[in-house]
Every structure is written in C-alpha cells, then in structure tokens.
C-alpha cells in the first residue's frame, strides 16, 4: 500500500520581526511529533529546502507595507488551501502601523538618508485587508501552545479551540490578584484577547494589550476607569497605540482621545 501523503505546511514572512515564526521553532517538545504528521515544506527561517506548493496550510507572519508584498500575498493565497495569519503584525498591521496615523512621506524623509530608494505603501495593513483568511491567531508574539492547537485543528478538519475572552478571565483562573483593584495600576486586560495566561499581572504589572482586542471589547468603559486612575487623554492615546494600534477597536478608542 502506498504511504499516505503528509499534509504540506508553509510559513511566509511579510513585514515583521520573525518572533512569531520563532514560536514554531520554540515548540521543541512538540516539533518531532509535528514533523511526523506534516511535511514542513516551505519555512526559509528554518531550512533552505523549499518544496513547491500547493500547500495544505500556510502560516503568514507580518503586515503588508510595500507594493511588492501587496502582490505577493495573492500568490501565497493562490497556493494555499488554508491560510492562517499569526501575530499582531499579520492580524492588525503590527507596531509598524503607527505610521498609519501620520504622513508616511514625512517619516521616510526623517528616517532615511536617501528617501528616494524607499518604495512603501502609505499604510501598514493586516493580511485580511488583502486576501481571505481562514483563521487569525493573535499575539505579539503568539502563544506556541495555541499555534500547535491551530495547526492540529486544520490538519484534522476542525475549528481551532482558542478562547476569545479577555485576559481578566485568565487572571481569575490562575488566582492572580487584580493589579487595578489592588493598587490602581492601569491594565488593558479587560479589553485584551486571552492567550498569554495573564503573564504581566502575574508579575504585578498591568497588561499593555499585546494580544490585541478581545471579541466585543468595551474600550470606552475601560478608558473611563483609567481616567479615574489619573491617566490623561494623551496617556490613553498612547496606551491603545502599541502593537495592535490599527486593530479597529483600539484604533477607534485612541482616536476618540486625540485633541
Ligand atoms: S507580532 Fe510581534 S513577535 Fe510576531 S512578528 Fe510581529 S512584532 Fe514580531
Ligand atoms: S489585573 Fe488586569 S487582567 Fe487581571 S483581572 Fe485585573 S484588570 Fe483584568
Ligand atoms: S501585555 Fe497583556 S496580553 Fe501581552 S503578555 Fe502581558 S498580559 Fe498578556
């Protein structure tokens, strides 16, 4: 009997820091089992060997920031049966989307000695603004256990089991004392997507939203609480403008506090 063909996985990079791809390499304990179940066919961060597509599952890291990338993502979509975006860059435009609030031409002339060599789009945008996406895994970087769950789900034809609730729920589950209630430390946990096991509050710090917005976040209510804690309007703008600044709920909330 011929051996069953293993599903082919590809990992693609756009504008990003590679941190989310490294989460896959960080799956040390699970990597052997993973390579037994799938053929890691295209992953240039890890291997120079590239097996041609089509691919059963593509993981896409990074945002679209150049005309070339805006074309390339369509090629990736064409050769991918399923396409999953990984990380804040791919799902929300990333920290590089801070430029979306300014005139990019002015920034280029300030940053680069020879701006005429720079070919860039006006905005850094998430992958879903360009092609259809089958699933989005949030985080900066993503959680490796959630990544394994997403890969496993797609290979088995089921929906990934990743929670859509807030970091607060994770805080309660692990019995962490609430930093906002205990000592008035501003925390974005109530509006931030779960996935990190409430890492920052467990070290007595407020969450700064690196997992991006949860499903239906009440950002206006949280801003009100932060104002009671003494955070200025400018402070609120900056709080919502970090890794997920261009995710719609965070973008709208930051804009509502601009002078
Ligand atoms: S989401 Fe964060 S960790 Fe992942 S590629 Fe972007 S900047 Fe790096
Ligand atoms: S510390 Fe932050 S994330 Fe944890 S319960 Fe309090 S507000 Fe929510
Ligand atoms: S900033 Fe928030 S979402 Fe990110 S690791 Fe800390 S607690 Fe988790």
């Amino acid at each position: 009997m011929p051996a069953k063909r293993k599903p082919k996985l590809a990992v693609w990079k756009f504008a990003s820091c590679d941190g989310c791809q490294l989460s896959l390499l960080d799956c040390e304990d699970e990597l052997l089992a993973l390579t037994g179940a799938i053929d890691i066919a295209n992953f240039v961060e890890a291997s120079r060997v590239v097996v041609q597509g089509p691919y059963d599952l593509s993981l896409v890291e990074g945002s679209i920031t150049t005309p070339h990338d805006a074309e390339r993502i369509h090629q990736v979509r064409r050769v991918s049966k399923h396409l999953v975006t990984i990380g804040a860059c791919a799902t929300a435009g990333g920290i590089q989307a801070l430029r979306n609030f300014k005139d990019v031409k002015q920034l280029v002339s300030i940053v680069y000695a020879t701006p005429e060599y720079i070919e860039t789009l006006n905005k850094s945008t998430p992958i879903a603004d360009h092609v259809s996406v089958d699933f989005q895994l949030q985080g900066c970087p993503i959680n490796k256990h959630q990544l394994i769950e997403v890969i496993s789900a797609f290979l088995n034809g089921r929906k990934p089991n990743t929670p859509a609730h807030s970091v607060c729920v994770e805080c309660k589950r692990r019995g962490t004392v609430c930093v906002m209630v205990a000592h008035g430390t501003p925390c974005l946990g109530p509006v931030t997507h779960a996935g990190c096991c409430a890492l920052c509050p467990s070290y007595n710090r407020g969450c700064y939203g690196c997992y991006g917005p949860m499903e239906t976040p009440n950002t206006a209510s949280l801003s009100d609480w932060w104002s009671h804690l003494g955070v200025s309007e400018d402070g609120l703008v900056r709080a919502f403008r970090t890794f997920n600044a261009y995710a719609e709920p965070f973008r709208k909330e930051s804009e509502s506090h601009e002078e």
Side-chain angles (χ1 to χ4, degrees):
M1 217 169 103
K4 200 174 160 214
R5 181 183 78 83
K6 286 199 275 185
K8 286 203 281 187
L9 175 81
V11 183
W12 308 93
K13 174 185 163 64
F14 287 81
S16 60
C17 83
D18 291 25
C20 288
Q21 295 183 64
L22 288 176
S23 297
L24 182 55
L25 292 176
D26 199 26
C27 297
E28 291 163 353
D29 295 336
E30 300 85 359
L31 214 50
L32 268 182
L34 201 61
T35 50
I38 58 174
D39 178 9
I40 301 182
N42 186 346
F43 187 10
V44 290
E45 174 105 2
S47 168
R48 271 181 289 176
V49 179
V50 174
V51 179
Q52 292 304 306
Y55 306 100
D56 296 282
L57 176 62
S58 277
L59 303 176
V60 178
E61 176 197 83
S63 66
I64 302 298
T65 57
T66 66
H68 176 247
D69 281 351
E71 281 177 24
R72 190 163 66 95
I73 189 60
H74 288 279
Q75 291 165 12
V76 170
R77 180 68 263 191
R78 276 195 290 275
V79 295
S80 309
K81 185 172 172 196
H82 298 294
L83 189 153
V84 171
T85 48
I86 55 169
C89 297
T91 59
I95 194 119
Q96 57 273 30
L98 289 174
R99 71 203 236 178
N100 299 2
F101 299 92
K102 300 281 178 200
D103 177 357
V104 79
K105 287 195 188 77
Q106 277 182 359
L107 295 178
V108 167
S109 66
I110 294 167
V111 172
Y112 296 99
T114 47
E116 58 273 23
Y117 292 147
I118 305 298
E119 196 180 354
T120 187
L121 296 170
N122 287 335
K123 287 186 164 54
S124 167
T125 45
I127 300 298
D129 281 11
H130 300 262
V131 295
S132 64
V133 166
D134 297 296
F135 188 77
Q136 309 212 65
L137 185 60
Q138 295 183 203
C140 179
I142 52 170
N143 175 306
K144 68 174 187 176
H145 302 293
Q146 287 197 330
L147 178 60
I148 295 289
E149 161 58 18
V150 169
I151 294 173
S152 163
F154 275 95
L155 296 180
N156 289 293
R158 63 174 173 83
K159 194 170 172 280
N161 182 15
T162 52
H165 54 236
S166 72
V167 175
C168 289
V169 176
E170 297 187 302
C171 242
K172 298 301 163 215
R173 283 205 176 127
R174 62 182 292 168
T176 299
V177 172
C178 176
V179 298
M180 279 222 287
V181 173
H183 43 80
T185 300
C187 179
L188 282 182
V191 296
T192 299
H193 198 285
C196 68
C197 297
L199 188 62
C200 299
S202 75
Y203 284 95
N204 220 16
R205 297 181 51 189
C207 167
Y208 50 92
C210 79
Y211 269 65
M214 63 168 296
E215 226 173 44
T216 60
N218 191 344
T219 51
S221 171
L222 185 65
S223 292
D224 206 30
W225 276 105
W226 278 40
S227 300
H228 291 314
L229 294 174
V231 177
S232 65
E233 289 292 281
D234 190 42
L236 283 166
V237 173
R238 278 188 276 115
F240 284 102
R241 280 197 192 158
T242 58
F243 312 91
N244 293 277
Y246 213 57
E248 191 171 313
F250 284 10
R251 175 178 62 79
K252 285 190 169 163
E253 191 59 32
S254 75
E255 285 170 346
S256 74
H257 296 282
E258 273 182 320
E259 297 291 315

